[in-house]
Amino acid sequence: MENRERTGASSIPGVRPHGSEAPPPLLEVRGLTKSFFGIPVLEDAHLTLQRGQVHGLVGENGAGKSTLMKVLAGVYQPDAGTVLLDGQAVNFSHPTKAHEAGLSSVFQEFNLLPDRTVAENIYLGREPRRGALVNKALMNRKTAELLQSLGITAIRPTAQVRSLTVAEQQVVEIAKAVSYDARIVSMDEPTAALAGAEVELLYQIVSRLRERGTAILYVSHRLRELFDLCDVITVLKDGRVVSTGPASELDDASLVRLMVGRPISAFFPDKLPPPDSDDDRGNAEIIGAGVPATPILELRGAGNGQLEGISFSIRPGEIVGLAGLQGSGRTELLHAIFGAAPFSRGAMKVEGREFLPRSPRDGVRARMALITEDRKAEGLSLNQSILDNALTVIRSVFPRRTRAARTGIPGVFSSLEVVARDLDQEVQYLSGGNQQKVVLAKWLAIRPRLVLLDEPTRGIDVGAKVAVYRLMRRLAAEGKAILMVSSELPEVIGMSDRILVMRDGRLAGELPAGTSEEAVLQLGTGARIAPEGGA
């Protein structure tokens, strides 16, 4: 994932040096405007995409990125503005029209049928036929050739989609988009659900598409990807384009400032001092404020069918990062602690007392909170209101506390800086960052002692990430214990008091705060990594 050398605008694929006659851009957007219910989402947006170019599109949630992508895909119709393809004005009245013109989109939510094969998903609705029957042999052969052209050999055309990993399903989505003879592929957060090794696979696919002259519009919140892959970066803020230029002329700090108007130094806020008075934990000390407290969580030799020999403890006020490759057992450990997939051996203590939850209800009663990695599938009822979502857990486990919790919910949302019309608004209409804040509010309502966070900032913008980080610091200052799983190593290193690294269902080791990414990767992979400049 090394950055490619760049020499400025003249090195951008598809852009000729000054003085030569250049063809029109492959795609050009001029003055694009779109409103919903009278509220502008895009205003006078402009963008140019050249052949063989990877063009990054970034901005906070609600900046207009997804709306722009859906206008280009024919999902939405613009209120004003022009889209030109090869210099000719086009108007895609339906996604099929965009496909026919060679513009395909890969959206963040997968659009695959799990009980059908890879080939059936890629050619859904346009299956090759022999007479009245689907020619499955030809369809499978064309799928195999398509995957091979992208450098993919591990996915069988006949495999059922439900048997594939998340990364493999993402590859199928991209292959489906390319199968329309796409000249332009728009990708919306294509690595949001991928771990490090799987991201490398996506890099390879993007590289192959670039080599064949395909233009890529790439939306991501991961800054490293933007600088690794993109030739040009356009920044959207409040529906308007605030900057477009070569990626080589930007760095993390300048890009963050363009997106959110604050320096990158504000990304990971400093620790907060503990409050003067204790909360309802009695006389327990907060770590760093005196005598070390009794651990809120302690595991000794804990295990089940997926975990083995897990031993560690977390004290009040600690944020402990849990790193490791996808499949290393990170999520499984959180589920076991919470009682969703209970430990079958070993010992577990909560605040000094033996306790082994056998169900999530047991975990909630012990005032544990589990913020799952997939907020839409596991954390929210999308067609219900913000308020109903926020009260879900308290109503289910502590119904007598519902009235008191309802009274405090507005203050919780205010502290989380949730942007919404009102508490009756359906959650499905919120941005990803605001949806994540609703999930957090749901668990804060039970006043948890132990907070288990699984990818808490996945798929949300940098501004929303900062709000989550501030919340974590506040909870730690109040004496809560936090165990956080994250695939983003800067996040793990920037927020953790110490880092536990998992490999193959076991703890591979523990690292101190401020450790290097190389040290985390070495423990997580078991590989020996030579020091920079060494042999």
Side-chain angles (χ1 to χ4, degrees), residues 336-340 342 348 350 355-369 397-398 446:
I337 293 169
F338 191 64
M348 173 172 162
V350 175
F355 178 73
L356 204 61
R358 293 300 176 188
S359 69
R361 186 175 290 270
D362 286 347
V364 174
R365 285 173 176 157
R367 289 174 60 188
M368 298 182 194
V397 184
F398 306 112
I446 71 167

Side-chain angles (χ1 to χ4, degrees), residues 112-432:
L112 301 174
L113 299 177
D115 293 319
R116 296 203 182 187
T117 68
V118 170
E120 288 170 339
N121 270 277
I122 288 177
Y123 287 99
L124 184 66
R126 53 197 179 98
E127 299 86 348
R129 294 184 176 274
R130 180 184 294 151
L133 301 176
V134 174
N135 189 337
K136 289 190 175 182
L138 177 58
M139 185 169 64
N140 289 336
R141 185 168 68 251
K142 290 175 68 175
T143 300
E145 292 170 355
L146 175 64
L147 292 172
Q148 187 174 15
S149 74
L150 295 174
I152 308 303
T153 58
I155 300 177
R156 294 180 295 108
T158 56
Q160 273 200 340
V161 164
R162 72 164 60 254
S163 70
L164 304 180
T165 66
V166 172
E168 289 169 337
Q169 290 182 40
Q170 182 70 81
V171 169
V172 174
E173 284 279 17
I174 295 171
K176 183 177 180 179
V178 174
S179 72
Y180 287 91
D181 295 326
R183 295 186 293 161
I184 302 168
V185 178
S186 297
M187 299 184 182
D188 189 4
E189 296 287 353
T191 64
L194 307 186
E198 298 166 331
V199 171
E200 183 64 38
L201 176 62
L202 181 83
Y203 276 38
Q204 294 171 13
I205 293 173
V206 170
S207 178
R208 290 215 175 204
L209 291 174
R210 172 194 273 122
E211 289 170 1
R212 61 165 74 169
T214 304
I216 298 172
L217 186 61
Y218 194 90
V219 176
S220 179
H221 289 122
R222 295 182 173 181
L223 301 187
R224 177 179 296 179
E225 291 175 16
L226 295 169
F227 291 112
D228 283 350
L229 295 175
C230 296
D231 305 296
V232 176
I233 296 176
T234 290
V235 180
L236 281 173
K237 185 173 178 59
D238 299 327
R240 292 182 173 272
V241 173
V242 296
S243 172
T244 294
S248 58
E249 296 179 2
L250 294 167
D251 57 20
D252 287 5
S254 58
L255 187 55
V256 169
R257 187 178 290 278
L258 284 169
M259 283 192 286
V260 301
R262 62 170 69 95
I264 197 169
S265 59
F267 242 49
F268 303 115
D270 294 333
K271 293 182 182 180
L272 299 174
D276 294 332
S277 58
D278 291 332
D279 64 7
D280 59 346
R281 293 174 299 102
N283 295 320
E285 291 283 349
I286 297 173
I287 190 166
V291 179
T294 300
I296 284 184
L297 174 71
E298 189 173 5
L299 297 176
R300 291 290 176 265
N304 56 22
Q306 298 170 300
L307 303 166
E308 186 62 51
I310 306 295
S311 299
F312 69 91
S313 62
I314 307 178
R315 298 184 182 276
E318 274 195 301
I319 298 175
V320 176
L322 194 59
L325 301 179
Q326 191 153 337
S328 62
R330 303 171 307 170
T331 294
E332 290 78 7
L333 178 54
L334 297 193
H335 287 184
I337 293 169
F338 191 64
F343 291 117
S344 56
R345 52 189 173 274
M348 173 172 162
K349 290 183 178 180
V350 175
E351 295 191 294
R353 298 179 180 178
E354 296 284 347
F355 178 73
L356 204 61
R358 293 300 176 188
S359 69
R361 186 175 290 270
D362 286 347
V364 174
R365 285 173 176 157
R367 289 174 60 188
M368 298 182 194
L370 173 62
I371 287 80
T372 54
E373 61 179 325
D374 190 338
R375 60 178 170 270
K376 291 189 176 180
E378 300 172 327
L380 296 167
S381 297
L382 294 175
N383 61 347
Q384 291 188 9
S385 71
I386 296 172
L387 181 61
D388 284 335
N389 272 274
L391 295 174
T392 298
V393 179
I394 204 88
R395 281 173 173 166
S396 176
V397 184
F398 306 112
R400 294 182 179 179
R401 303 181 192 174
T402 301
R403 179 176 295 180
R406 182 193 295 269
T407 302
I409 284 296
V412 173
F413 280 117
S414 177
S415 68
L416 290 173
E417 301 175 5
V418 175
V419 178
R421 186 185 67 242
D422 53 47
L423 294 182
D424 292 326
Q425 185 176 356
E426 290 185 18
V427 167
Q428 62 182 317
Y429 298 118
L430 300 180
S431 68

Side-chain angles (χ1 to χ4, degrees), residues 47-102:
L47 180 142
T48 300
L49 193 58
Q50 306 285 355
R51 294 162 182 80
Q53 181 187 80
V54 182
H55 193 127
L57 185 63
V58 299
E60 295 186 88
N61 283 111
K65 305 184 303 297
S66 295
T67 300
L68 177 55
M69 281 188 63
K70 289 179 178 178
V71 169
L72 296 178
V75 177
Y76 296 153
Q77 300 303 304
D79 299 329
T82 305
V83 177
L84 297 99
L85 193 62
D86 283 326
Q88 301 297 314
V90 294
N91 180 26
F92 302 135
S93 58
H94 191 274
T96 56
K97 299 296 183 181
H99 288 151
E100 291 168 1

